[in-house]
Structure formats: C-alpha cells, structure tokens
Amino acid sequence: MAFTKEQIKEELGGILGRSIAGATDEELYGALLQLVQKFSDEKKTPVTGKKLYYISAEFLIGKLLSNNLINLGIYEDVRDILRENGKELSDLEEMENEPSLGNGGLGRLAACFLDSLATMNLPGDGIGLRYHCGLFHQYIGSGVQTEMPDKWLTNQCWAKKTDKTYKVTLAGKEYEARLYELNITGYEGRTNTLNLFDLDTIDESIIKDGINFDKKDIAKNLTLFLYPDDSDEDGRLLRIYQQYLMVSAGAQLILDECVKRGCNYHDLADYAAIQINDTHPSMVIPELIRLLGEKGIEFDEAVDIVTKTCAYTNHTILAEALETWPRRFLDKVVPQLMPIIEHLDRIARERDKNHPEVTGIIDKDQRVHMANMDIHFTHSTNGVAKLHTEILEKSELKDFYALYPEKFNNKTNGITFRRWLLECNPRLTNMIETRIGTGFKKNADELTKLLDYVDDEETLQELAEIKQANKTALAQWLEKKQGVKIDPQAMFLIQSKRLHEYKRQQLNLLYLIHEYYEIKAGHVPAHKIVSIFGAKAAPAYIIAKDIIHALLTLSKVIADDPDVSAWIQLVFVENYNVTAAEKMIPACDLSEQISLASKEASGTGNMKFMLNGALTLGTMDGANVEIAERVGNDNIYIFGESSHQVIDHYARADYCSRDWYEADPNLKRAVDFLTSDEMLAHGGIKENLERLKNELLNKDWFQTFPDFNAYIVRKNQAICDYAVNSRDWTRRALINIANAGFFSSDRTIESYNKEIWHLKEQA
Ligand code: 26Q
C-alpha cells in the first residue's frame, strides 16, 4: 500500500482546511500527526494466529514524526510538499517533544523490537505505562546534575486516549486503568500498537521542588515518573504499585483480546506469547494465574498455561538490579497475589530439592525473588549476548541451568537500522545506496556488499567527507543547544549511556586527568581530541552523580588552561536522550565501550556507533565480543582484563584497589587530582570529590584500576592511528559498517520468533 504525493497533498489540505503555505508550524505538525494516524491505521489489519505482547516498564521510542514518515514511505514527498510551500520538515521535527518513557538500553531495545516486529509483518504489541514526567529532565547548572520533571505530554500527542478501562485493585482499593494506544509503524510493513496505561486521576501539580512529590497518594502519583526514587519504603511500595498496575491491566487486555479472537483460556498459549522484559513485569505470572482462576481454571492447569505463554529476558547479572521484594510489601500492595506466589514457591522447592535456598521464590528472609519466579514459570529464559548468556548458564544462574537446560537460550541484541541509519544518518544511507542498492534496509546482511569497496578511493573519500559533515553538524547543534564550541577537526571520542560505575565513566575520567598531566609535561597527544559524554545518573545514586560532577569540573579545568585545551576538549551533553543520540552517534570517530568485563549484558550503543562508522575502544564484554569476532582484531581496539579474570577476582575477593594506587605513580597522580586545588578552584565541591576518591581507594567495586594502564595504551594507540593514517582509519570504519548487519534487530526478532514466539507473518 503506497501513498502518492497527490494523495498526501489532498489529505493534508483536507485536514488543515486551508492552504499549507498559510498554516502555522503548529497547525502543520498537528495535521501531519493526523495524516500519519490515518495512513498507519489503514495498516492495522486483524491478526490471524498468535500475537506477541512485549511487556516492559520502558519504551524509549524517541521522536516519532520522521520515523513514521520514513516507515510509511512518505518522508520525501512530505518534505517536498512542505518545501514547495516555504516550510521545512526539520522545523516541525524540532517541535516534537521526545516521549519520556524510558531510561536506557532495555527501553531502547523494546522500541527497536517494536519497529522490527511491525516491519517484518509480525503481530506484536507493547504493554507499558504512560509516565507523565518520564525519568527526569537533566539540567547541568552549577557543575552538578539537577533533576526536573520531563513534561513531554502535549495536546498533540501520538498516544491516543481510548474509552477502554480495566479495574485494578491496589492495596485493597479499586482503581481504573485507562488505555492509551500508540501506533507503531513498520518500514513498508504493518502497524502494531503500543498499549500504555494511566490513571485519569494523576495530578502533576503535586510535584514540588524538582521531582519530589507525596509518594503515598497513589491516585495522584502512580504514573508521574519512571523509576521513582526508591531509597525509602514509600518509594519502593510505589514501584510495586506501578508494576502491578501495568501487569494487571495488561493481563486483562491480553485475555480480552484473545477471547475476542476465539480463545477459550485453556488454549491461551495458541493466541498469546508474552515476553517479560527483565523482572519489572514479573507479577504478570501470578496475575494471569489469578485471572485464569477467576475464569474457572484449576491452579495446576493455570500454571501450565502461563508457563507455556510467557518467556523471560534477563538483562543483567548485577545483584542489585535483580529485583527482590520484601514479602510484607507484596502483602500490602497485592495481597491477592500472595497465596499464588506461595504456592509457586512450594512447587519450585519441590522441583529443586538440591538447592531450594538458591532457586526458591521466597527466601528465608522473606524476600520474593522475581527472576526465580520467571525462570520456573516461563518456558524460556534468554540472555542478550553470547557472553552474557554463557555467564548466566555457567555462573549466575547455574543451578537453574542444571534444572532446566532446555529453557535457556541466547538472543544477541540488535538495533533497528531504520532509526539508527536511515533516519539519523541520511548522508551515509545515501552513500551506501549508491554503492549496493536499497536492499540492506530490510535485509541488513546485504551490508557486506560494501566490502567490495574497502579499497575504493572514491568511496573512502566520500565516507571521510560524510563523517566530517556529521561532526560539523554535531558541533553546530552543541553550540546552539548548550553554547559550547568544539573543534570539528578534532577526533571525536564518545561515551554515552546510563551513568553507572560498572560502565566505568570514571575510567575515562582518570584517562583525561592523566592526559592533562602528560600535556602539562610536554607530552602532547598524536591528535587533538574531543571527549564527549552523555549520561543520566539515577537521582539517588550518589557516586554516579559525583562522577558527573568530577567530569563537569574537569571540563572547566581543561577549558581554562590553553596548553591543555589546545589538545583536549571535554564536553558533557546535557539531558542525553534518543534525540541527542541521533546527533552524536553519526559524528563519532571512537566509540567508548569500556565496562568491566562480565558486567555489561550486551550494550546496544556499541552497535549503533559501529553501524555509523566509528571504531570501538572496548573491553571483551557483552556484544563487544561479537563485534570483535565479526570485524577482526585489526578493526577494533580491545583492552583490559577478561571476564574470567574479573569473575575470579570476585570469587577470591582478592582485589584491593589501594594496592594498585600505591604501586602506580601515574594512577596515584590521577586519583589525587580529583581533590586537587585546581579542581576546587574550578567549582569542585570538596565533599563530593572526596567521596568519589574514597570510593575508588577503598572499594572500586568495578575494578577500574587494573585496566587503567591498558586503557591508556590502547586509547593512545587509536588516537595515533587516527592521526597518522586517516585513509586506513576510514577503511576500517567501512569494514565496521559492512559487518554491522548481524546487529540488526530484524535478525534478533527473527530468532525470538523462530525459537520462542512462533508468530505467523501477516498478509
Ligand atoms: C531495578 C531495581 C530497582 C530500581 C530500578 C531497577 C532497574 C531499572 C532499570 C534495573 C535495570 C534497569 C535497566 C537496565 C538496562 O537498561 N539494561 C540494559 O539492557 C540492555 C538491553 O538488553 C543491554 O544492552 C545493556 O547491557 C543493559 O545494561
């Protein structure tokens, strides 16, 4: 179903009720929204066979206008029609607020999956919450992160209010969850739906002083924020309230839809596949068992039905991110689920007589282990990269693996090339098209055809020019957005991701301090660098915020010192989100993926940078391992301890950061600089910087110090290679692009579908 330019003009005119030239940008934006709604509705065909429900606390979907226009195949026509009338599509794109429905990789993965499902004509809908103020908007005022509500909802919004509501009982009180529907367009494919639930009674005016609000008033606060501060009991209870609202309304929606399509409950697994995205939606298991019970289905059969219907994805091995809830919290919020969870716990203990304390659901301290419930009572548990799945099977979840080897499987993550190439890098897309045609847009493996061009001078020249143009564009965007000037001729190194100690932004920080000293001593780098960061720290994660503060302070120290700023610029991009990522990633020369080996489940930013022609500087962690496998050692910069070495250190508890500090004068110098006079003279807050230094010296849980020297050596090698042989750098960038096809989320979805969901391609 293609839409012609004439059709588009006519529709737009009809919606506007006046000429395009005479309409305001706001009117035009609204009209395009309606146009997309109409065209995409037409591609929402009735589902035959099974439908997937991807339940997730996050959907980091990014702005939708351009994405939808591209997917509907009308981007160029709309742009041209507007231009003919003196309007620019890019101005309208600017008007859109980015939906604030996610935080990081897990949420962005969900968004990429929805795109791939629709593109591949597979019936797969999302289920989540309609947060009013998102995670938060990050402001960088006086050298620290401050959080404000990210009020992204406007009258002109993609998520449409419906008259469907479901009753959800929270702590014995009934609430009404209202459904909002957002169309997910596939690239030349079908339209699926992202179902978002909300309460009509939410009151944004209760937010005071940043992002604080009365955590007890559920009717008013339930969907205000994603991951509300859970450092106190009310915050933790609120998270359970949120999760249950999502899964209870979601489960009712699923049952409703399935019944409408002919399901008799006993055969639910033929009508629905439910993917549980990490443990946040785990309560869908007992909730479905409860609802099936209400329909007259016996407990054992309900358990069997739910197990066959549900599958679970694990995204982390970090102990603190594996959710366990004190039983008394669940007793309070969801007493209706507790008898079911207890029953499931008894079954689990029956099944594993060898280590019931490890694999049981309710432990001796009366904590409820959500992941354990998922593994016992779904038919599939998957990790998100080869190494991650291996670590789950061999160490983190080994007792479960012994119990259910057939349930475990790997699904290496992927990204949608529609957003992360076609939309964010039209220059590169165009270059690729002129070389290998357009087939790669739906069949990413065709990118390997670019390998024929790795020694084609014209192609290399063009690729270098594209990178330069993207870097200049990023520099202009940054100047406009936050008033910083960066040198587009410098080498751009980017580390953008959630701020977390395991991701080791602090290692990058120590490198920059080291280089500061080196430059002061006359040892200048091989090339000028711009080191760019983008990261939000969870509001209650003190050390993460201290790392941001140290970076911001260091950036002032450097900017203030002409000797150093001639060689290094440090830029912190405020409020990193999908929109910022789309500007930053195409402009990157070196992609920093420097997590402590074994800790990054997969990473997906690494894939986006690779696809856009950056080389990777990384540890052998997550999907970096698979990137290295594909591009070969000459085309990636790997450093640092292996996951085995790291896991051994943890097992033996033999890592002592202070020993490393005492033994290495360069490291000592860099760490000591954190609390130096220079830092304090540039707005450094003594308390915060000392806290960070102490953390590193006395704990350094994520083993920054052992990789310090290897990181410096490898990074400086990369900078040197970039400086001395730019042709070869571009050649290797092209090799990276050509090998990125495997990391398309279309491949990931195909594999989920073949091995877990078994959905039928829709006509
Ligand atoms: C848990 C408990 C209490 C409060 C919050 C949380 C919480 C919130 C968010 C735990 C985890 C998250 C988000 C995790 C996440 O984004 N994980 C990333 O998932 C990506 C997709 O699989 C991977 O590529 C990344 O490696 C992984 O870090």
Side-chain angles (χ1 to χ4, degrees):
M1 198 183 334
F3 306 101
T4 65
K5 192 166 172 186
E6 280 316 306
Q7 219 179 336
I8 298 167
K9 263 192 215 164
E10 207 178 292
E11 285 289 343
L12 265 183
I15 296 168
L16 280 167
R18 51 140 109 210
S19 75
I20 295 173
T24 64
D25 280 0
E26 197 158 320
E27 288 167 334
L28 278 173
Y29 178 77
L32 285 176
L33 203 111
Q34 281 187 51
L35 178 88
V36 167
Q37 195 74 33
K38 176 158 192 253
F39 284 5
S40 57
D41 277 344
E42 288 174 25
K43 298 183 158 208
K44 238 181 189 178
T45 52
V47 172
T48 53
K50 201 193 263 193
K51 191 201 246 190
L52 165 74
Y53 296 90
Y54 197 87
I55 312 191
S56 175
E58 301 185 31
F59 287 93
L60 196 44
I61 51 184
K63 291 190 186 190
L64 292 170
L65 179 59
S66 316
N67 189 250
N68 282 333
L69 296 176
I70 291 174
N71 281 0
L72 290 169
I74 59 174
Y75 184 89
E76 276 88 14
D77 282 343
V78 167
R79 184 195 55 202
D80 295 348
I81 293 169
L82 291 174
R83 235 173 236 168
E84 287 155 20
N85 289 280
K87 309 280 181 190
E88 276 304 317
L89 181 53
S90 54
D91 292 340
L92 303 186
E93 285 164 357
E94 297 264 311
M95 298 177 53
E96 181 175 354
N97 291 336
E98 177 176 324
S100 197
L101 298 171
N103 174 22
L106 163 150
R108 185 52 234 177
L109 185 75
C112 286
F113 281 3
L114 292 183
D115 181 280
S116 286
L117 282 158
T119 299
M120 296 159 77
N121 284 315
L122 296 172
D125 290 352
I127 293 179
L129 291 177
R130 179 178 176 267
Y131 308 102
H132 291 231
C133 305
L135 185 69
F136 58 82
H137 187 110
Q138 177 192 54
Y139 288 93
I140 300 295
S142 46
V144 291
Q145 163 179 301
T146 45
E147 302 94 21
M148 293 298 285
D150 188 0
K151 295 195 180 177
W152 64 280
L153 288 167
T154 57
N155 294 333
Q156 303 198 328
C157 193
W158 298 98
K160 296 285 168 230
K161 188 172 183 173
T162 72
D163 52 18
K164 267 194 216 149
T165 58
Y166 295 98
K167 292 192 168 32
V168 176
T169 305
L170 299 163
K173 223 176 128 203
E174 202 167 84
Y175 296 80
E176 222 171 44
R178 178 172 304 280
L179 175 66
Y180 288 74
E181 291 179 339
L182 192 153
N183 279 0
I184 301 292
T185 56
Y187 180 70
E188 296 174 358
R190 63 178 275 109
T191 298
N192 287 324
T193 305
L194 172 54
N195 299 291
L196 298 172
F197 289 103
D198 199 359
L199 300 182
D200 290 349
T201 51
I202 298 301
D203 180 0
E204 292 173 23
S205 75
I206 68 170
I207 305 169
K208 303 263 151 55
D209 181 25
I211 55 168
N212 294 307
F213 60 91
D214 174 4
K215 289 190 193 145
K216 286 192 197 296
D217 198 345
I218 302 303
K220 292 187 176 171
N221 73 24
L222 199 48
T223 52
L224 282 177
F225 289 99
L226 164 67
Y227 306 135
D229 172 21
D230 61 358
S231 51
D232 59 16
E233 179 159 332
D234 287 331
R236 287 194 277 275
L237 286 169
L238 176 52
R239 282 180 47 87
I240 304 176
Y241 281 114
Q242 283 191 329
Q243 293 184 352
Y244 187 64
L245 181 82
M246 171 171 80
V247 303
S248 177
Q252 294 176 64
L253 170 95
I254 293 169
L255 291 180
D256 250 22
E257 287 194 356
C258 289
V259 166
K260 279 201 188 107
R261 295 196 291 111
C263 166
N264 64 16
Y265 300 118
H266 300 276
D267 55 3
L268 182 66
D270 297 333
Y271 288 83
I274 299 175
Q275 194 68 34
I276 300 174
N277 197 27
D278 222 283
T279 53
H280 320 134
S282 299
M283 280 188 287
V284 74
I285 292 171
E287 177 64 2
L288 269 174
I289 295 173
R290 189 186 72 81
L291 291 169
L292 289 171
E294 282 183 355
K295 309 289 178 197
I297 293 184
E298 298 289 335
F299 191 88
D300 289 346
E301 198 203 344
V303 170
D304 190 48
I305 294 170
V306 170
T307 305
K308 277 197 273 187
T309 307
C310 297
Y312 158 64
T313 303
N314 174 291
H315 296 265
T316 188
I317 66 158
L318 294 188
E320 68 266 29
L322 279 179
E323 286 182 305
T324 65
W325 293 114
R327 171 208 176 112
R328 65 188 172 86
F329 286 12
L330 298 181
D331 280 335
K332 174 166 184 190
V333 179
V334 286
Q336 63 273 39
L337 294 188
M338 277 323 290
I340 298 170
I341 294 174
E342 280 171 349
H343 198 150
L344 295 177
D345 179 54
R346 287 195 295 276
I347 300 177
R349 284 166 189 278
E350 275 297 302
R351 288 190 196 167
D352 187 2
K353 298 232 166 63
N354 295 332
H355 355 69
E357 258 319 303
V358 181
T359 61
I361 296 172
I362 307 176
D363 70 16
K364 59 180 186 336
D365 301 322
Q366 296 297 302
R367 294 189 73 95
V368 181
H369 292 241
M370 306 313 263
N372 295 11
M373 183 166 71
D374 291 320
I375 303 169
H376 283 295
F377 299 103
T378 65
H379 65 280
S380 163
T381 291
N382 75 281
V384 290
K386 249 174 19 190
L387 176 69
H388 170 59
T389 303
E390 214 176 282
I391 294 173
L392 292 180
E393 291 177 353
K394 294 208 174 119
S395 74
E396 291 308 300
L397 300 177
K398 66 174 189 306
D399 295 328
F400 284 102
Y401 183 59
L403 202 55
Y404 308 115
E406 73 289 349
K407 288 193 187 188
F408 282 74
N409 63 97
N410 175 245
K411 296 286 166 285
T412 298
N413 282 165
I415 57 173
T416 166
F417 285 22
R418 270 73 62 183
R419 185 174 288 269
W420 297 112
L421 180 59
L422 276 55
E423 184 185 329
C424 77
N425 203 341
R427 294 182 181 98
L428 180 58
T429 304
N430 183 50
M431 188 280 263
I432 296 173
E433 265 179 52
T434 60
R435 301 304 190 281
I436 63 169
T438 58
F440 70 94
K441 296 179 182 180
K442 280 181 125 179
N443 179 7
D445 290 334
E446 289 190 17
L447 281 181
T448 52
K449 292 183 186 169
L450 285 171
L451 290 173
D452 293 346
Y453 294 87
V454 292
D455 285 306
D456 178 58
E457 298 309 320
E458 216 175 292
T459 302
L460 295 179
Q461 182 62 32
E462 204 176 322
L463 183 55
E465 284 165 12
I466 289 165
K467 183 61 78 181
Q468 191 53 60
N470 290 337
K471 288 165 72 171
T472 305
L474 175 63
Q476 286 164 350
W477 180 78
L478 269 174
E479 186 168 1
K480 190 166 161 216
K481 179 176 136 79
Q482 51 190 74
V484 295
K485 274 196 163 85
I486 57 172
D487 180 355
Q489 301 308 319
M491 179 182 182
F492 285 13
L493 292 69
I494 307 188
Q495 185 175 17
S496 55
K497 47 186 80 254
R498 291 181 292 134
L499 207 130
H500 203 294
E501 288 162 280
Y502 85 78
K503 295 178 184 284
R504 299 199 299 186
Q505 282 94 350
Q506 70 275 23
L507 178 58
N508 200 338
L509 167 74
L510 292 176
Y511 167 87
L512 292 166
I513 298 173
H514 173 79
E515 284 303 308
Y516 169 90
Y517 273 115
E518 290 298 295
I519 294 168
K520 291 307 263 182
H523 310 138
V524 300
H527 201 282
K528 180 171 180 182
I529 63 169
V530 182
S531 194
I532 304 172
F533 292 83
K536 287 182 182 175
Y541 190 173
I542 304 290
I543 292 296
K545 292 172 104 170
D546 290 341
I547 294 172
I548 292 182
H549 174 61
L551 284 167
L552 292 167
T553 309
L554 180 64
S555 80
K556 289 180 201 154
V557 172
I558 292 174
D560 205 22
D561 187 329
D563 298 343
V564 183
S565 58
W567 293 100
I568 302 183
Q569 284 188 281
L570 196 179
V571 183
F572 193 95
V573 178
E574 195 165 337
N575 198 43
Y576 180 63
N577 58 9
V578 177
T579 310
E582 288 172 17
K583 309 274 185 208
M584 291 158 70
I585 290 170
C588 179
D589 294 307
L590 191 66
S591 151
E592 305 242 19
Q593 308 299 336
I594 61 176
S595 55
L596 176 65
S598 80
K599 295 296 181 190
E600 188 69 273
S602 161
T604 45
N606 47 3
M607 303 168 187
K608 294 164 199 164
F609 283 107
M610 171 196 196
L611 176 62
N612 283 276
L615 269 62
T616 302
L617 168 62
T619 49
M620 276 303 230
D621 200 14
N624 295 353
V625 175
E626 288 161 80
I627 293 178
E629 205 174 283
R630 285 187 163 73
V631 300
N633 275 336
D634 292 344
N635 303 304
I636 189 166
Y637 294 89
I638 295 292
F639 72 94
E641 301 220 303
S642 70
S643 56
H644 297 290
Q645 289 172 307
V646 170
I647 290 169
D648 280 352
H649 283 310
Y650 281 111
R652 292 198 296 260
D654 65 357
Y655 171 62
C656 171
S657 61
R658 197 174 282 269
D659 292 348
W660 290 82
Y661 167 87
E662 299 294 355
D664 180 347
N666 282 340
L667 176 60
K668 182 170 189 305
R669 179 177 76 169
V671 174
D672 288 343
F673 186 82
L674 288 172
T675 52
S676 64
D677 292 345
E678 286 92 327
M679 289 288 273
L680 298 180
H682 287 84
I685 304 166
K686 201 165 175 211
E687 184 192 342
N688 301 22
L689 296 170
E690 271 176 358
R691 185 167 49 213
L692 175 58
K693 183 174 160 186
N694 286 332
E695 182 75 22
L696 288 170
L697 276 184
N698 299 318
K699 198 157 139 208
D700 189 25
W701 181 247
F702 295 102
Q703 304 175 22
T704 317
F705 294 174
D707 284 347
F708 177 68
N709 273 299
Y711 178 55
I712 294 172
V713 168
R714 215 66 190 115
K715 189 157 169 171
N716 286 341
Q717 179 68 51
I719 296 169
C720 186
D721 291 347
Y722 179 90
V724 299
N725 195 341
S726 64
R727 178 200 181 270
D728 188 57
W729 185 274
T730 305
R731 183 180 182 276
R732 293 187 296 147
L734 186 59
I735 292 174
N736 270 266
I737 299 168
N739 285 294
F742 176 77
F743 300 104
S744 161
S745 46
D746 298 350
R747 184 266 313 150
T748 315
I749 288 298
E750 194 183 337
S751 158
Y752 272 94
N753 195 36
K754 273 208 181 110
E755 292 165 33
I756 305 175
W757 303 330
H758 311 294
L759 311 166
K760 273 206 265 254
E761 194 182 326
Q762 306 291 295

